[in-house]
Structure formats: C-alpha cells, structure tokens
Amino acid sequence: MAQKDGTTGSERIIGLSKSDAADRVVDADESRDPDTVRAVLSHVTEDGAVTADGVDSAVTDTSMILSTAETRVELASIDLDDAREAAGDDAAVGAVRSRLDVFEATVTNASERVASLGEELQGLSDWRDDPRSVYDIVLGLREVASESQALTAHADDIQLDIEEFERWLSNHDVRVRGLDGDVAALERSLDGLADRVEAVADAAEDADGDRATEWCNAALRVRVSALLVEDVRAELADLRELAPESDAETDGLDDAAADLDDLDARVQRLRERLDELARPPWTDEYGARIESFEETLAAFEPPVSWGAVQAELDDARAGDDG
C-alpha cells in the first residue's frame, strides 16, 4: 500500500530540490502563488532539497512556538486570578466587575484558541499517515506557528492590561485621571457632532437627499452621546464608591460631575437643534428608524458594552430596523 506521506502521487516532493518541489506543487494546483509556495517550502528545505527531517523539524519548531503561547496564556490567567483576588469585595462595583468580565472573556477565548491550535498541531504531527500533501502539511504548520505567535503577543497585551487595571484599582488618582480622559473624549466627540449638525443646517437646498441622510446619522449619534454621558456618570458614581474613606479630597470627581452636567446639557441642545432642522419628509423616511434605535439603546445599562452599541449603530445607519 502506498504511503500517505506525499512521497508518492502528483505532489511527491520529498527529496526534490526546492525549485522542483515548488513547480510540482504549483502544477498540482495552479491557484497557488509560486512565491508563496517557495517561501513555505523553505521551512522544510535542507541542503537545497525538501526532506522528511525538515518536516519533522518544522513540527518540532511549531510545537515550541505553540508551547510559548500556552505559557503566556497561562500566565495571563494567573494574573487575572491575582487581579480578582486584589479586587476583593470591590469586584461587586460595576466599574470593577465590568473590567474583570472583559478580562475573563478575553482569557477564556485565548485559552480555547490555544487548545484548538494544539488539536490542529496534533493532527499535523502525524504527517506520514496523513492523506494531505506534504505541502499542505507544511502550510498548516506555518499557519499554526503564525497564529501561535499572534496569540503570544495577544496574551502579553492581556497581561499588560491587567497590570494597568491593578494600578487603576489600587490608586484613586489613576482612576480620576482615567475618568477625566473619558470626559475629554466625550467633549471631543460632541465637538465633531456639533460640526455635523451645523453642516446639515448649512447644506445647499438642492442637496436635500444628502441632508436628510446626514440629519438621520446625526440624530442617531446624538442618542448614542446621551447614553455615553449616562455611562460616564455611572463610572463616576462607582469611583466615588471606590474612593478611600480617608481621602477627603474629592475636587477631581466633583469637577468631573460638573463637566458631565455641562455635556449632558450640550447633548440636549444638539438634539433640540436637530429637531428644529427636521423636515416632514425626513421624519417620514427616518423617524421610525430613529425611534427604534432609541428603544434599542434604552435596553443598555451601564457599564455599557460599546462594541454592541456600535454594532446597533451600524445596523441603524444601514437601515436595518430589525
């Protein structure tokens, strides 16, 4: 019985020079890019020829790369456990709980991906008994190696984010600076929204269709802005709860609260301005969509999942009402 190791058949390449092996692989499937094929085969080429030892070495190298990813993900999981322990009773506070939940989901996803890559690698390791061609085996190994390296970097980023969270958790001033950054970002967002609202007002009469679309988009965004203010207010309330009892200096939080009052009023003025600009044909065309979007946003409670909100906004802007 012929071996299923790529040493027989139309894609037999073990023992061929890299150039001849690449030609044979491309001849078997003309959709393959010759430069890519040669680059892949270079990982299993020894002394100018594709060898079985080269494939075995590629399996070993990939296993080591995946092992590094496994270690980094495990370290991220340990760091998360430490952060959860450091949070203690404060884990019940919304601002803390939401951050820990994000880390939990991210680490779980990374762990599941490591396990999946391990299964893929196990299947590729028995390449001599695999019905796939040697080239497909090597390509699979390269994909596992590449994803493992990306996962290692991702796990390192998770660890850094958890370290930053622990600094945030343990330092009142760090939390206040973070809140100030949120307030500043919200102010910049409202600056951009205000410009768009005035662009609707200033648009030429002969561009009424475009004006209607821009009016709708601005109306959707102003409702998102209202939710954002609500979300930052909730963060502020949580930071008050987390503030040390011995810390009588609350000017930073009080200033943020005053700024949020101003921004909330600004959102309301922008909404009123959009209502003034509205024309009956615009409300006839877009009113139901805006109302539906507003009802959707009402279901969100702080701490808000902004990825989910963005998805809803994208759907609403595209005209997906259901």
Side-chain angles (χ1 to χ4, degrees):
M1 179 181 295
Q3 285 183 302
K4 298 176 180 178
D5 63 358
T7 61
T8 61
S10 63
E11 289 192 67
R12 181 189 65 78
I13 59 174
I14 296 295
L16 295 180
S17 68
K18 184 173 72 172
S19 178
D20 289 344
D23 289 343
R24 182 164 292 186
V25 170
V26 172
D27 287 344
D29 185 347
E30 294 182 356
S31 67
R32 293 166 175 160
D33 176 64
D35 290 337
T36 299
V37 171
R38 283 190 288 271
V40 170
L41 292 180
S42 67
H43 294 282
V44 293
T45 298
E46 298 180 341
D47 297 327
V50 176
T51 67
D53 286 345
V55 180
D56 288 336
S57 294
V59 171
T60 300
D61 292 345
T62 303
S63 179
M64 293 176 63
I65 294 170
L66 177 57
S67 178
T68 299
E70 291 170 340
T71 299
R72 300 297 175 80
V73 171
E74 179 61 27
L75 289 174
S77 180
I78 292 171
D79 283 354
L80 176 56
D81 289 340
D82 291 343
R84 194 181 291 110
E85 183 176 351
D89 293 340
D90 288 338
V93 178
V96 179
R97 185 185 67 251
S98 64
R99 287 166 167 83
L100 288 173
D101 286 348
V102 169
F103 291 136
E104 180 72 36
T106 304
V107 170
T108 296
N109 179 268
S111 298
E112 291 174 350
R113 189 58 192 139
V114 160
S116 177
L117 289 172
E119 293 175 0
E120 291 181 41
L121 178 58
Q122 182 60 45
L124 294 164
S125 298
D126 299 326
W127 64 275
R128 287 178 174 79
D129 296 322
D130 198 298
R132 287 172 289 183
S133 69
V134 168
Y135 177 77
D136 285 335
I137 293 293
V138 179
L139 185 61
L141 290 170
R142 296 311 304 160
E143 290 173 349
V144 170
S146 178
E147 290 192 40
S148 297
Q149 289 170 328
L151 191 53
T152 295
H154 179 51
D156 289 344
D157 288 341
I158 295 172
Q159 287 184 269
L160 291 174
D161 288 343
I162 292 174
E163 289 175 9
E164 181 64 29
F165 163 74
E166 290 185 309
R167 284 192 291 273
W168 175 91
L169 183 65
S170 63
N171 191 306
H172 177 70
D173 290 339
V174 171
R175 293 194 294 271
V176 172
R177 287 197 295 271
L179 181 68
D180 289 343
D182 291 340
V183 172
L186 177 54
E187 184 174 6
R188 290 192 297 271
S189 176
L190 290 181
D191 288 343
L193 179 57
D195 290 342
R196 296 185 67 168
V197 171
E198 290 313 306
V200 172
D202 296 339
E205 293 293 330
D206 59 1
D208 196 56
D210 291 338
R211 291 179 72 200
T213 301
E214 288 303 309
W215 172 82
C216 174
N217 288 338
L220 296 172
R221 284 190 58 188
V222 80
R223 284 154 177 80
V224 171
S225 296
L227 180 60
L228 182 53
V229 171
E230 181 183 346
D231 194 43
V232 178
R233 279 194 191 281
E235 177 89 359
L236 170 62
D238 288 341
L239 296 199
R240 290 194 187 281
E241 187 173 351
L242 292 171
E245 293 181 4
S246 60
D247 186 3
E249 188 65 43
T250 60
D251 289 349
L253 294 179
D254 291 341
D255 289 345
D259 289 340
L260 284 171
D261 287 341
D262 292 341
L263 293 174
D264 192 17
R266 189 177 178 190
V267 170
Q268 295 308 311
R269 289 195 297 272
L270 287 171
R271 180 164 179 168
E272 291 168 2
R273 177 61 171 152
L274 286 167
D275 289 343
E276 293 171 0
L277 292 171
R279 297 183 173 188
W282 300 358
T283 55
D284 289 345
E285 182 175 1
Y286 295 113
R289 183 190 305 185
I290 295 169
E291 183 178 347
S292 175
F293 181 64
E294 192 163 19
E295 291 174 356
T296 297
L297 292 186
F300 286 90
E301 295 182 357
V304 173
S305 170
W306 287 101
V309 170
Q310 184 62 51
E312 295 290 351
L313 177 60
D314 291 342
D315 284 347
R317 293 182 64 181
D320 183 357
D321 296 328

